[in-house]
Short mmCIF file of all heavy atoms in Angstrom, two decimals:
data_model
loop_
_atom_site.label_atom_id
_atom_site.label_comp_id
_atom_site.label_asym_id
_atom_site.label_seq_id
_atom_site.Cartn_x
_atom_site.Cartn_y
_atom_site.Cartn_z
N PRO A 362 85.61 -20.74 -41.37
CA PRO A 362 85.00 -20.85 -42.69
C PRO A 362 84.46 -22.26 -42.94
O PRO A 362 85.22 -23.21 -43.13
CB PRO A 362 86.17 -20.53 -43.64
CG PRO A 362 87.19 -19.84 -42.80
CD PRO A 362 87.05 -20.42 -41.44
N VAL A 363 83.15 -22.39 -42.90
CA VAL A 363 82.47 -23.66 -43.12
C VAL A 363 81.49 -23.49 -44.27
O VAL A 363 80.65 -22.58 -44.23
CB VAL A 363 81.73 -24.12 -41.84
CG1 VAL A 363 80.90 -25.36 -42.12
CG2 VAL A 363 82.73 -24.39 -40.72
N TYR A 364 81.59 -24.33 -45.26
CA TYR A 364 80.79 -24.16 -46.47
C TYR A 364 79.31 -24.44 -46.19
O TYR A 364 78.94 -25.53 -45.76
CB TYR A 364 81.27 -25.09 -47.58
CG TYR A 364 80.70 -24.74 -48.94
CD1 TYR A 364 81.40 -23.91 -49.80
CD2 TYR A 364 79.46 -25.22 -49.35
CE1 TYR A 364 80.89 -23.57 -51.03
CE2 TYR A 364 78.93 -24.87 -50.57
CZ TYR A 364 79.65 -24.06 -51.42
OH TYR A 364 79.14 -23.71 -52.64
N VAL A 365 78.48 -23.45 -46.45
CA VAL A 365 77.04 -23.57 -46.32
C VAL A 365 76.38 -22.97 -47.56
O VAL A 365 76.99 -22.18 -48.29
CB VAL A 365 76.51 -22.87 -45.05
CG1 VAL A 365 76.97 -23.60 -43.79
CG2 VAL A 365 76.95 -21.42 -45.00
N LYS A 366 75.14 -23.34 -47.79
CA LYS A 366 74.41 -22.87 -48.98
C LYS A 366 74.33 -21.35 -49.03
O LYS A 366 74.24 -20.76 -50.12
CB LYS A 366 73.00 -23.46 -48.98
CG LYS A 366 72.93 -24.92 -49.36
CD LYS A 366 73.22 -25.13 -50.84
CE LYS A 366 73.02 -26.57 -51.24
NZ LYS A 366 73.33 -26.78 -52.68
N ARG A 367 74.36 -20.71 -47.87
CA ARG A 367 74.29 -19.25 -47.82
C ARG A 367 75.39 -18.61 -48.64
O ARG A 367 75.20 -17.54 -49.22
CB ARG A 367 74.37 -18.79 -46.36
CG ARG A 367 74.25 -17.29 -46.16
CD ARG A 367 74.29 -16.90 -44.70
NE ARG A 367 75.55 -17.21 -44.08
CZ ARG A 367 75.70 -18.09 -43.09
NH1 ARG A 367 74.66 -18.75 -42.63
NH2 ARG A 367 76.90 -18.31 -42.57
N TRP A 368 76.55 -19.24 -48.70
CA TRP A 368 77.64 -18.71 -49.51
C TRP A 368 77.23 -18.60 -50.97
O TRP A 368 77.54 -17.61 -51.64
CB TRP A 368 78.87 -19.62 -49.41
CG TRP A 368 79.59 -19.58 -48.11
CD1 TRP A 368 79.13 -19.08 -46.92
CD2 TRP A 368 80.89 -20.09 -47.85
NE1 TRP A 368 80.08 -19.25 -45.94
CE2 TRP A 368 81.17 -19.86 -46.48
CE3 TRP A 368 81.85 -20.73 -48.64
CZ2 TRP A 368 82.38 -20.25 -45.90
CZ3 TRP A 368 83.06 -21.11 -48.06
CH2 TRP A 368 83.31 -20.87 -46.70
N GLU A 369 76.54 -19.62 -51.47
CA GLU A 369 76.13 -19.63 -52.88
C GLU A 369 75.12 -18.51 -53.15
O GLU A 369 75.21 -17.82 -54.17
CB GLU A 369 75.53 -20.98 -53.24
CG GLU A 369 76.50 -22.14 -53.08
CD GLU A 369 75.84 -23.49 -53.31
OE1 GLU A 369 74.70 -23.51 -53.85
OE2 GLU A 369 76.43 -24.52 -52.93
N HIS A 370 74.18 -18.34 -52.23
CA HIS A 370 73.16 -17.30 -52.41
C HIS A 370 73.79 -15.91 -52.38
O HIS A 370 73.42 -15.04 -53.18
CB HIS A 370 72.10 -17.43 -51.31
CG HIS A 370 71.40 -18.75 -51.31
ND1 HIS A 370 70.85 -19.31 -50.18
CD2 HIS A 370 71.18 -19.65 -52.31
CE1 HIS A 370 70.31 -20.46 -50.47
NE2 HIS A 370 70.50 -20.70 -51.75
N ARG A 371 74.74 -15.72 -51.48
CA ARG A 371 75.40 -14.41 -51.38
C ARG A 371 76.18 -14.10 -52.64
O ARG A 371 76.10 -12.99 -53.18
CB ARG A 371 76.33 -14.40 -50.17
CG ARG A 371 77.10 -13.09 -49.97
CD ARG A 371 78.02 -13.17 -48.77
NE ARG A 371 79.01 -14.23 -48.92
CZ ARG A 371 79.74 -14.70 -47.92
NH1 ARG A 371 79.58 -14.24 -46.70
NH2 ARG A 371 80.63 -15.65 -48.14
N ALA A 372 76.93 -15.08 -53.13
CA ALA A 372 77.73 -14.87 -54.34
C ALA A 372 76.84 -14.59 -55.54
O ALA A 372 77.11 -13.68 -56.34
CB ALA A 372 78.63 -16.08 -54.60
N ALA A 373 75.77 -15.36 -55.67
CA ALA A 373 74.85 -15.16 -56.80
C ALA A 373 74.23 -13.77 -56.75
O ALA A 373 74.07 -13.11 -57.78
CB ALA A 373 73.77 -16.24 -56.78
N GLY A 374 73.89 -13.32 -55.53
CA GLY A 374 73.29 -12.01 -55.39
C GLY A 374 74.23 -10.88 -55.73
O GLY A 374 73.80 -9.79 -56.11
N ARG A 375 75.52 -11.15 -55.63
CA ARG A 375 76.52 -10.13 -55.94
C ARG A 375 77.14 -10.33 -57.32
O ARG A 375 78.04 -9.57 -57.71
CB ARG A 375 77.62 -10.14 -54.87
CG ARG A 375 77.10 -9.76 -53.49
CD ARG A 375 78.20 -9.85 -52.43
NE ARG A 375 77.69 -9.49 -51.09
CZ ARG A 375 78.41 -9.55 -49.98
NH1 ARG A 375 79.67 -9.97 -50.02
NH2 ARG A 375 77.88 -9.21 -48.82
N GLY A 376 76.68 -11.35 -58.04
CA GLY A 376 77.07 -11.51 -59.42
C GLY A 376 78.41 -12.19 -59.67
O GLY A 376 79.04 -11.94 -60.70
N TYR A 377 78.86 -13.04 -58.76
CA TYR A 377 80.10 -13.78 -59.01
C TYR A 377 79.93 -15.22 -58.55
O TYR A 377 78.95 -15.58 -57.90
CB TYR A 377 81.29 -13.12 -58.33
CG TYR A 377 81.21 -13.05 -56.81
CD1 TYR A 377 81.62 -14.12 -56.01
CD2 TYR A 377 80.76 -11.90 -56.17
CE1 TYR A 377 81.55 -14.05 -54.64
CE2 TYR A 377 80.71 -11.82 -54.79
CZ TYR A 377 81.11 -12.90 -54.02
OH TYR A 377 81.04 -12.84 -52.66
N ASP A 378 80.91 -16.07 -58.89
CA ASP A 378 80.83 -17.49 -58.54
C ASP A 378 81.34 -17.71 -57.12
O ASP A 378 82.29 -17.06 -56.67
CB ASP A 378 81.66 -18.32 -59.52
CG ASP A 378 81.41 -19.81 -59.33
OD1 ASP A 378 80.41 -20.31 -59.89
OD2 ASP A 378 82.19 -20.47 -58.62
N VAL A 379 80.71 -18.64 -56.43
CA VAL A 379 81.06 -18.90 -55.04
C VAL A 379 82.50 -19.39 -54.88
O VAL A 379 83.09 -19.27 -53.80
CB VAL A 379 80.07 -19.92 -54.43
CG1 VAL A 379 80.27 -21.31 -55.04
CG2 VAL A 379 80.20 -19.97 -52.91
N SER A 380 83.08 -19.91 -55.94
CA SER A 380 84.46 -20.38 -55.87
C SER A 380 85.43 -19.26 -55.48
O SER A 380 86.50 -19.53 -54.91
CB SER A 380 84.89 -21.00 -57.20
OG SER A 380 84.83 -20.04 -58.24
N VAL A 381 85.05 -18.01 -55.76
CA VAL A 381 85.89 -16.87 -55.38
C VAL A 381 85.98 -16.78 -53.86
O VAL A 381 87.07 -16.61 -53.29
CB VAL A 381 85.32 -15.56 -55.97
CG1 VAL A 381 86.12 -14.36 -55.46
CG2 VAL A 381 85.33 -15.62 -57.49
N ASP A 382 84.83 -16.90 -53.18
CA ASP A 382 84.82 -16.86 -51.73
C ASP A 382 85.57 -18.04 -51.13
O ASP A 382 86.30 -17.89 -50.15
CB ASP A 382 83.38 -16.85 -51.21
CG ASP A 382 82.70 -15.50 -51.38
OD1 ASP A 382 83.42 -14.49 -51.51
OD2 ASP A 382 81.46 -15.46 -51.40
N VAL A 383 85.37 -19.20 -51.73
CA VAL A 383 86.06 -20.40 -51.23
C VAL A 383 87.57 -20.19 -51.29
O VAL A 383 88.30 -20.46 -50.33
CB VAL A 383 85.65 -21.65 -52.03
CG1 VAL A 383 86.51 -22.85 -51.62
CG2 VAL A 383 84.17 -21.96 -51.81
N ALA A 384 88.05 -19.71 -52.43
CA ALA A 384 89.49 -19.49 -52.61
C ALA A 384 90.03 -18.47 -51.61
O ALA A 384 91.12 -18.64 -51.06
CB ALA A 384 89.78 -19.03 -54.03
N ASN A 385 89.26 -17.42 -51.35
CA ASN A 385 89.69 -16.40 -50.39
C ASN A 385 89.83 -16.99 -48.99
O ASN A 385 90.79 -16.70 -48.27
CB ASN A 385 88.71 -15.23 -50.38
CG ASN A 385 88.81 -14.37 -51.62
OD1 ASN A 385 89.85 -14.34 -52.29
ND2 ASN A 385 87.75 -13.66 -51.94
N PHE A 386 88.86 -17.80 -48.60
CA PHE A 386 88.92 -18.41 -47.27
C PHE A 386 90.05 -19.42 -47.18
O PHE A 386 90.77 -19.49 -46.18
CB PHE A 386 87.59 -19.08 -46.92
CG PHE A 386 86.54 -18.13 -46.41
CD1 PHE A 386 85.29 -18.06 -47.00
CD2 PHE A 386 86.80 -17.32 -45.32
CE1 PHE A 386 84.32 -17.19 -46.53
CE2 PHE A 386 85.83 -16.44 -44.83
CZ PHE A 386 84.59 -16.39 -45.44
N VAL A 387 90.22 -20.23 -48.23
CA VAL A 387 91.27 -21.25 -48.22
C VAL A 387 92.64 -20.61 -48.00
O VAL A 387 93.50 -21.15 -47.30
CB VAL A 387 91.25 -22.06 -49.53
CG1 VAL A 387 92.52 -22.89 -49.67
CG2 VAL A 387 90.03 -22.98 -49.56
N SER A 388 92.84 -19.42 -48.57
CA SER A 388 94.12 -18.73 -48.43
C SER A 388 94.40 -18.33 -46.99
O SER A 388 95.55 -18.06 -46.63
CB SER A 388 94.15 -17.49 -49.33
OG SER A 388 93.25 -16.49 -48.85
N GLU A 389 93.36 -18.29 -46.14
CA GLU A 389 93.52 -17.88 -44.74
C GLU A 389 93.64 -19.06 -43.78
O GLU A 389 93.90 -18.86 -42.59
CB GLU A 389 92.30 -17.05 -44.31
CG GLU A 389 92.06 -15.78 -45.12
CD GLU A 389 90.77 -15.09 -44.72
OE1 GLU A 389 90.03 -15.65 -43.88
OE2 GLU A 389 90.48 -14.00 -45.24
N VAL A 390 93.44 -20.27 -44.28
CA VAL A 390 93.34 -21.44 -43.40
C VAL A 390 94.58 -22.34 -43.52
O VAL A 390 94.86 -22.86 -44.60
CB VAL A 390 92.07 -22.26 -43.75
CG1 VAL A 390 91.99 -23.51 -42.87
CG2 VAL A 390 90.81 -21.41 -43.57
N ARG A 394 91.87 -25.73 -46.59
CA ARG A 394 90.52 -26.00 -47.11
C ARG A 394 89.50 -25.35 -46.19
O ARG A 394 89.82 -24.98 -45.06
CB ARG A 394 90.26 -27.50 -47.19
CG ARG A 394 90.27 -28.22 -45.84
CD ARG A 394 89.95 -29.69 -45.98
NE ARG A 394 90.02 -30.41 -44.71
CZ ARG A 394 89.02 -30.48 -43.82
NH1 ARG A 394 87.86 -29.85 -44.07
NH2 ARG A 394 89.15 -31.15 -42.71
N VAL A 395 88.27 -25.22 -46.69
CA VAL A 395 87.18 -24.79 -45.82
C VAL A 395 86.61 -26.02 -45.14
O VAL A 395 86.81 -27.16 -45.57
CB VAL A 395 86.09 -24.03 -46.61
CG1 VAL A 395 86.65 -22.76 -47.21
CG2 VAL A 395 85.45 -24.92 -47.66
N ARG A 427 92.76 -21.13 -38.50
CA ARG A 427 92.69 -19.76 -39.01
C ARG A 427 93.03 -18.72 -37.94
O ARG A 427 93.75 -17.75 -38.21
CB ARG A 427 91.31 -19.50 -39.59
CG ARG A 427 91.08 -18.14 -40.20
CD ARG A 427 89.74 -18.17 -40.92
NE ARG A 427 89.39 -16.88 -41.50
CZ ARG A 427 88.29 -16.20 -41.13
NH1 ARG A 427 87.49 -16.66 -40.20
NH2 ARG A 427 88.01 -15.04 -41.71
#
Side-chain angles (χ1 to χ4, degrees):
V363 174
Y364 193 94
V365 292
K366 285 288 186 181
R367 182 178 64 244
W368 288 16
E369 298 174 15
H370 300 153
R371 179 181 60 195
R375 296 177 180 176
Y377 62 85
D378 190 83
V379 69
S380 61
V381 174
D382 285 338
V383 172
N385 287 336
F386 278 125
V387 167
S388 69
E389 300 174 356
V390 178
R394 63 178 177 85
V395 297
R427 182 171 177 242

